[in-house]
Amino acid sequence: SFQESAPKTWPKAKLTPNARVILEKRYLKQENGKVIETPEDMFYRVANVIAEVEERYGKGKKEVKELAKEFYAMMANLEFMPNSPTLMNAGRDLGQLSACFVLPIEDSMEKIFDAIKFAAIIHKSGGGTGFSFSRLRSKNSTVRSTGGVASGPVSFMKVFNAATEAVKQGGTRRGANMGILRVDHPDIQEFISCKEDNKEITNFNISVGITEEFMKAVKERRDYDLIDPHTGKAVGKLSAPEVFHTIVDHAWRNGEPGIVFLDRLNRDNPTPKIGEIEATNPCGEQPLLPNEACNLGSINLKLLVTEKNGKAVVNWERLSYVTRQAIHFLDNVIDANTYPLPMIEEMVKGNRKVGLGVMGFADMMILLQTSYASEDAVEYAEKIMNFIQTEARLESQRLAEERGTFPNYEGSIYDGVRKLRNATLTTIAPTGTISMICGASSGVEPLFAVAYTKTVMDGTAFVEVNPIFENYAKEYGFDSSELMRKIADKGTVLGFSEVPDWVQAVFVTAQEIDPEWHIRIQAAFQKYTDNAVSKTINFANSATREDIAKAYELAYELNCKGLTVYRDGSRDEQVLSAGTSQ
Ligand code: UDP
């Protein structure tokens, strides 16, 4: 219904060469192995499909066109980017636009294999799936119809894993899974150690679903009950401090399992009458009800710094505009989306959850000449996310006035408080690929390195020197190719006497930052995020188990919804690696 090429007079996308390579590989339309779409055409395709939704709400062609132009500009300027499936699939055959799904697993052979089939359909379209295995009966309990014994959650996870492996080859991107088991499930110990061998269950991230009762038992150094998922009755006991220690020990060894605070996810469940939250999407930032999906989008904070009286400051005015347009965009995505299953469509359209977040936070701190590991950065994090959440709610309220509240509004936590179009508005995604498209630091993570090698899915490696660092080097007179090479080898600028102290402080990297600051930044964003925050807490290789235990306790204290830790060098294959030597 629209021409395929972006009008020549519309702004061009200022993409880095790396961003172009990524887009050409997997995002742009291809025919017989040849790319037949420019990045501008892609943004135009997406903007049109999402803006056309207006017609369903009584808007005319002219308004659609104007809105499409605004959506286009936001993307082409790299100020806002929807999650990858929206870029890849809008206006094309798949039409599946969401990154995150949670599927229920009921305790029967039919339901278990239904979930595997549904996951395969979702993976094919570029979505990731999260599951709770907590409803499955434990290993060695009886199977009434056959008189045999059950093989338990972990054995079924291996089947899900194998199915994902097979689908992976044909999909638009690797199918990712999250597996969650409640800490009071009788098979919890087997679950905690199920990824001990790095080569097992590779298509899953795993997290232990921690309860308040468990945390209390850890503190009081006592046993807690294991609960039979069928009868709800206690069937055994474990020492809470010991289980806590086992989780810490495994996370210390190779970063898994993570933890998620289940009771907290449900404390913030906006629609408790519709269901209980048992799981999150693969990277943990999006808690969802069974059969629910969510589409994400992220604002590029790197581009929201401006100059006032010769000083770099946050561009609040532009941030307000981009936030509102982004929420409008994400709400439209819900209607433009093609859903892989009817029950998912029903659930999504009932709650209309969206997840707007940020990328380029570390870049923004650098531009504001603020160290990520500082009170000032924590303050910025809170202020920025508070602002985004406030503006997002205003826009959702405006949309509710125009289009009605989300259908499950009645009985929701907003009922009688505030009319909103969307049950949730904010989520901090990892932005693994879209941050590369935007040339920004990912999500709310600090810089991984000032210069680094990044290996993407198909094995292509990129060498990158932080462009802001290059600019500073020119501006402050320490730009030498010899120095750049040394920094690239080391990955960090700490200790290079040629680099002024304040530049060293501002370019602090993930592993140099004390875990406490990592967690405080995560907590600061969480405070104003409806859903959760994707964040990895980096530790030096020399970190001890006690350091990890302390981090868990701090995350709990500061109201985080979960925690993922990673100790440098603890896995053979790292996605990111400091320096260019690898
Ligand atoms: N995801 C996935 N497979 C991938 C990468 C991501 O299924 O290879 C899903 C997963 O649910 C993840 C979410 O997409 O939590 C968001 O990831 P990210 O922000 O990195 O995606 P991007 O939009 O940058 O591609």
Side-chain angles (χ1 to χ4, degrees), residues 128-355:
T129 44
F131 309 91
S132 164
F133 288 88
S134 302
R135 289 173 185 269
L136 298 190
R137 76 192 77 182
S138 58
K139 194 174 183 166
N140 296 330
S141 52
T142 51
V143 178
R144 206 167 301 156
S145 57
T146 61
V149 292
S151 50
V154 173
S155 76
F156 282 113
M157 280 174 71
K158 292 178 183 164
V159 184
F160 278 75
N161 191 67
T164 305
E165 189 67 33
V167 175
K168 192 151 115 176
Q169 319 305 331
T172 45
R173 60 176 177 171
R174 178 170 59 199
N177 297 299
M178 170 65 89
I180 290 179
L181 197 72
R182 285 177 67 95
V183 72
D184 54 14
H185 190 285
D187 289 4
I188 191 63
Q189 283 164 309
E190 188 189 0
F191 178 82
I192 292 168
S193 58
C194 76
K195 291 197 67 179
E196 214 165 60
D197 179 347
N198 278 342
K199 297 187 177 57
E200 286 252 39
I201 320 191
T202 48
N203 298 309
F204 269 89
N205 294 326
I206 61 165
S207 275
V208 177
I210 303 278
T211 59
E212 292 291 330
E213 159 60 20
F214 176 78
M215 286 310 280
K216 219 168 130 219
V218 172
K219 213 166 156 202
E220 294 166 3
R221 308 201 61 77
R222 59 172 168 82
D223 289 354
Y224 72 105
D225 287 336
L226 297 177
I227 312 284
D228 179 323
H230 272 215
T231 60
K233 292 213 175 91
V235 288
K237 276 185 194 303
L238 283 175
S239 152
E242 268 174 37
V243 170
F244 185 74
H245 177 80
T246 316
I247 296 170
V248 166
D249 179 55
H250 282 82
W252 178 84
R253 283 169 199 263
N254 70 1
E256 294 218 71
I259 53 172
V260 328
F261 298 117
L262 279 183
D263 294 333
R264 280 191 188 156
L265 301 189
N266 281 294
R267 180 196 63 196
D268 291 345
N269 177 0
T271 57
K273 297 232 164 82
I274 305 300
E276 188 187 327
I277 295 174
E278 297 170 39
T280 71
N281 71 323
C283 304
E285 70 276 13
Q286 189 61 51
L288 291 168
L289 297 175
N291 281 321
E292 196 169 26
C294 184
N295 63 289
L296 311 175
S298 299
I299 296 172
N300 181 2
L301 294 176
K302 182 182 182 178
L303 298 179
L304 290 163
V305 177
T306 184
E307 219 180 88
K308 206 170 172 183
N309 307 325
K311 221 180 144 240
V313 292
V314 177
N315 190 345
W316 297 107
E317 208 178 307
R318 188 69 189 167
L319 182 57
S320 161
Y321 169 83
V322 175
T323 302
R324 288 181 171 233
Q325 290 290 357
I327 290 296
H328 191 169
F329 181 103
L330 294 173
D331 187 61
N332 280 17
V333 168
I334 295 169
D335 297 317
N337 207 346
T338 304
Y339 293 88
L341 295 160
M343 62 264 205
I344 292 178
E345 175 158 13
E346 193 188 324
M347 191 57 102
V348 172
K349 290 193 169 161
N351 284 345
R352 301 192 69 88
K353 283 182 186 169
V354 301

Side-chain angles (χ1 to χ4, degrees), residues 27 83-84 99-100 126-128 173-174 176 281-283 285 296 429-434:
Y27 291 69
N83 57 206
S84 289
C100 313
R173 60 176 177 171
R174 178 170 59 199
N281 71 323
C283 304
E285 70 276 13
L296 311 175
T431 70
T433 317
I434 58 170

Side-chain angles (χ1 to χ4, degrees), residues 42-52 68 71-72 75 329:
M42 173 188 76
F43 293 134
Y44 186 66
R45 159 169 63 76
V46 176
N48 276 307
V49 169
I50 306 307
E52 269 180 358
F71 287 166
Y72 171 91
M75 289 184 282
F329 181 103

